[in-house]
Amino acid sequence: MVAKALTIAGSDSGGGAGIQADLKAFSAMGVYGACVLTAVTAQNTQAVTAIHPVPDDVVAAQIKAVLEDIAIDAIKIGMLGTPSLIAAVADALAGYEGPIVLDPVMVAKSGDTLLADSAIDALTSLLFGRATLLTPNLPEAAKLVGEGSMQSQANALLELGVGAVLMKGGHADGATCTDRLISQTGTQEFAAPRVNTRNTHGTGCSYSSAIAAGLAQDMELGDAVSRAHTWLHNAILHADELHVGRGHGPVHHFHALWT
């Protein structure tokens, strides 16, 4: 039986991030993907020009429809724009017992805001306790718990109830990019040479979805992160081959299949 994962996220009309990136990452990992749409964005590689939220009750109905019929092995949660939507998603997932990867999507690669400041408290209070893994980049971590070292920020996030935190180092300086998987039992590091490319649109979405795919396949968390990290590094290495758009182009999700 094929493993099955669900993404709850917004749509990227340019195809590089959001639901589109999530489903591509699931497929690249050999996992069947289902989806729940939280927002429609008018978006390309350069900017987000419009956001149309899907009504909360329709989001909840999508979740109910999927979970009633499909045995979902893992869930990835991405863009949730408002406190009421976060509450609706939390309520709809009340009976779900599988692993959840929560990507706190706050700002698009273009710099456009995707999560209202007013929604941060709802995110931490209603969903952090359900999350097997939280995957913030450094600006997101700072917005959630304030400035500090990766370790101190991770400790603060763990205190808010998440099972583990993947602190992503892509926004740090240096020739090596280091991510740290931090939990109550210890820390694992995943390092790779920094790739000189502007085509990194959708890296966060793709990374968290690749990890969720591993959890859906019953991998241990550290192994799922390790596989996803290697896959994403190669997806970035091959990103320039795609020639998509005039801004921040997408990573190459299917670099192992075609170029």
Side-chain angles (χ1 to χ4, degrees), residues 107-203:
V107 180
K109 189 70 67 180
S110 59
D112 298 278
T113 298
L114 300 177
L115 180 74
D117 288 344
S118 60
I120 292 176
D121 286 345
L123 191 70
T124 57
S125 63
L126 297 177
L127 285 179
F128 273 30
R130 302 293 311 282
T132 306
L133 177 68
L134 184 75
T135 62
N137 58 34
L138 296 182
E140 289 164 347
K143 200 164 186 178
L144 288 167
V145 294
E147 297 290 345
S149 67
M150 270 192 178
Q151 186 66 54
S152 65
Q153 288 175 323
N155 290 341
L157 292 167
L158 290 171
E159 289 177 5
L160 291 172
V162 298
V165 184
L166 181 64
M167 300 293 296
K168 298 181 295 189
H171 287 77
D173 296 324
T176 300
C177 179
T178 302
D179 302 336
R180 292 181 174 88
L181 176 61
I182 301 173
S183 68
Q184 301 289 359
T185 59
T187 299
Q188 291 177 258
E189 291 193 352
F190 306 90
R194 192 175 298 276
V195 180
N196 183 22
T197 178
R198 69 184 304 199
N199 296 320
T200 56
H201 185 49
T203 49

